Amino acid sequence: MNARRAFAAAMLAAWLASPSAAAIGTYRLQDISAGGTLQFSVGIDNQGGVLAESWHWAAGGYYTSPATGVVLLTDPMVPGVPPNTVPNTPRGADINAAGVITGTWYPLGEVRAFRYTSDGGMRDLGLSGVEGNGTDDAGNTVGRFRGGTGRDYFVADPGGNLAVHTAPVALAGIAGLRNDGVIVANRQHATDSERPVAGLLENGTWRDLATGGAYSSHAMGFNEQGAVVGMQAVYSDMAGIPIQHAFAYTPEAGVVDLVDAMPWLNQFSTAAAVNEQGLVVGYGARGDMWETFSFLHDLSTGQLVDLASVLLPGTAAGWTNMYLVDVNDSGQIAGWGQFEGNVRAFLLSPAAPVPEPATALMMALGLVALGAATRRRIR
C-alpha cells in the first residue's frame, strides 16, 4: 500500500471508530467594541462582519469587519444629500449574508429608510415616514410605514426601485424578507394592539403561525428553510399572567416551546435568530435573582446548551450579562454584554474541535503508517 492509501485508510478507520461529535461545539470570544465605541451588536453577515450600534445619540449605526474596520453607516454620506442635513443617527435593523444593511435614519426630524453597502455607502430609499426592516440575500429591502392604518409597507429592489403595498392586516412589525419573497412579520391582534401575532405575508395573503394557543407571539428571526424563532406569551399556572417563552417554529414540527428544554428558566426568554443549519441563539433570565444567560439550540438534534458551558476557558474572562442576537451560516454569533461593568459588542467564533481520544489515537496510527510507507518508498 502506498503512503497516500495508507494514510487515507487510517483516517477512514479513525472516523468510523470515533463517536459522533456534538452538534454544538466550543466558542472563542472576541471583543469587537473598538475600545467601547460599539455597545450593541444587531446582526452578522457570512463574512463575520457585524452590524452594531453606539448608544451615544450622535453616533448611531456602524459596520465592522476584518476587511473594513469600524465604519459609520453615514460614511460616505448619503448620495445626493448635502452633508449638513445628515445627522449621525442611522439605526441598522438587518444585515444580509453579503453585508447589505437596511435600517432607519432621521434627517431633519423625518423618518426614512436607507440601504447601506460597504462599497457604496448609505443610500436613502426615497420615502418619508417609513422604516427599513429587512433585506434578503439579493439586496431587496422591506419596511413599513409608521402611523396610518399600519397596513402599508414597501419593497425596494437593489437599484432603489420601490413599490408600496397594503397588507390585509395591521402590521405590528416586520422581522424580515425571505429570498422567496415571503415577509416574516407580526400583526396586531384584532382587539388588543398590545398582543402581536407572528405570521407570514405571502403574495398579499396573511397566515398566522400555529403557536399552540399562546396569548401572543413575536417573530424575531428566520431562515430560508421555513424556520421562525421568537418569543411567545403563555399564561403562568401560578400567577395567571402572561410570561414570555422562547419558541422555534418549523413547518414540520410546528411550534416548539424551548422552555420545555430549559428547566432552569424563570419567566423570561427569547429566541433571537436561526441560521440555515438550524442553530438557534437567544437569551433569557433564570433564578430568583433573574440571572442573565444566553443559549444555543440545534433544531435538528434538539440539543440545547447554556452559553457558559461552551465558552473556551479564559476567552470570556471579565464578561457578564451576555446576550446573543444573531448567528451566521458559519456558526459565528454576534452579541453584546458587559465587560468589567461596561457594555460592549462581541463576536463568538467556533473553536477548532479537539479530537476524541479514539480519534486522536487513530490519527496517530495513520501518521505512523504514512511514515512507514514513505520509508519503504525511499529504500
Side-chain angles (χ1 to χ4, degrees):
M1 183 182 292
N2 65 28
R4 182 176 298 176
R5 290 179 178 175
F7 183 72
M11 294 301 98
L12 176 60
W15 179 78
L16 293 173
S18 65
S20 297
I24 300 175
T26 55
Y27 279 81
R28 184 183 307 277
L29 184 145
Q30 177 187 355
D31 185 337
I32 58 168
S33 70
T37 298
L38 308 181
Q39 280 83 33
F40 303 104
S41 296
V42 177
I44 185 170
D45 62 28
N46 276 352
Q47 293 71 49
V50 175
L51 170 62
E53 287 188 357
S54 167
W55 62 15
H56 190 277
W57 70 271
Y62 291 82
Y63 177 72
T64 179
S65 74
T68 64
V70 178
V71 181
L72 189 65
L73 296 186
T74 52
D75 183 18
M77 295 299 185
V78 185
V81 179
N84 63 356
T85 69
V86 184
N88 293 333
T89 54
R91 299 293 175 183
D94 189 30
I95 182 170
N96 72 7
V100 178
I101 294 168
T102 190
T104 308
W105 67 300
Y106 309 89
L108 301 179
E110 288 189 79
V111 179
R112 304 179 71 93
F114 72 85
R115 181 177 183 270
Y116 172 89
T117 60
S118 58
D119 57 348
M122 181 177 159
R123 176 178 181 175
D124 184 273
L125 292 181
L127 276 180
S128 180
V130 298
E131 59 187 32
N133 299 126
T135 180
D136 65 11
D137 288 340
N140 297 298
T141 301
V142 67
R144 69 185 183 117
F145 286 74
R146 291 189 179 179
T149 64
R151 295 171 179 259
D152 294 331
Y153 66 97
F154 73 87
V155 177
D157 67 20
N161 301 303
L162 185 146
V164 176
H165 305 274
T166 300
V169 296
L171 299 173
I174 294 177
L177 180 66
R178 285 195 333 213
N179 292 341
D180 60 4
V182 173
I183 298 171
V184 182
N186 304 288
R187 69 167 174 87
Q188 294 180 15
H189 190 272
T191 60
D192 186 350
S193 62
E194 300 299 318
R195 291 172 58 185
V197 179
L200 305 175
L201 182 58
E202 182 175 6
N203 296 326
T205 300
W206 176 267
R207 176 169 65 88
D208 287 350
L209 293 183
T211 51
Y215 176 81
S216 66
S217 57
H218 187 94
M220 297 189 67
F222 58 92
N223 66 16
E224 299 299 324
Q225 316 307 314
V228 178
V229 300
M231 54 188 174
Q232 61 181 4
V234 298
Y235 280 107
S236 165
D237 292 336
M238 297 180 62
I241 60 174
I243 57 177
Q244 182 176 302
H245 287 191
F247 79 85
Y249 166 89
T250 63
E252 298 79 19
V255 167
V256 176
D257 189 329
L258 298 185
V259 171
D260 293 340
M262 296 185 283
W264 58 82
L265 278 177
N266 55 21
Q267 296 184 353
F268 169 78
S269 62
T270 296
V274 56
N275 68 6
E276 294 306 310
Q277 289 69 44
L279 180 62
V280 179
V281 298
Y283 50 85
R286 63 182 171 190
D288 295 337
M289 301 302 292
W290 283 69
E291 175 193 359
T292 300
F293 81 101
S294 282
F295 65 85
L296 296 83
H297 172 69
D298 190 322
L299 288 178
S300 63
T301 65
Q303 182 187 12
L304 189 145
V305 299
D306 190 326
L307 172 64
S309 69
V310 295
L311 286 174
L312 284 180
T315 66
W319 287 84
T320 59
N321 298 325
M322 301 168 69
Y323 294 82
L324 306 183
V325 298
D326 200 11
V327 56
N328 69 13
D329 294 339
S330 299
Q332 292 179 297
I333 301 169
W336 59 273
Q338 289 184 308
F339 177 69
E340 297 181 349
N342 298 307
V343 179
R344 294 192 171 197
F346 64 75
L347 174 67
L348 299 179
S349 297
V354 177
E356 297 288 339
T359 304
L361 175 61
M362 293 305 295
M363 289 179 69
L365 292 175
L367 293 174
V368 169
L370 175 62
T374 302
R375 285 195 299 272
R376 286 195 298 270
R377 184 179 60 189
I378 291 174
R379 291 173 184 172

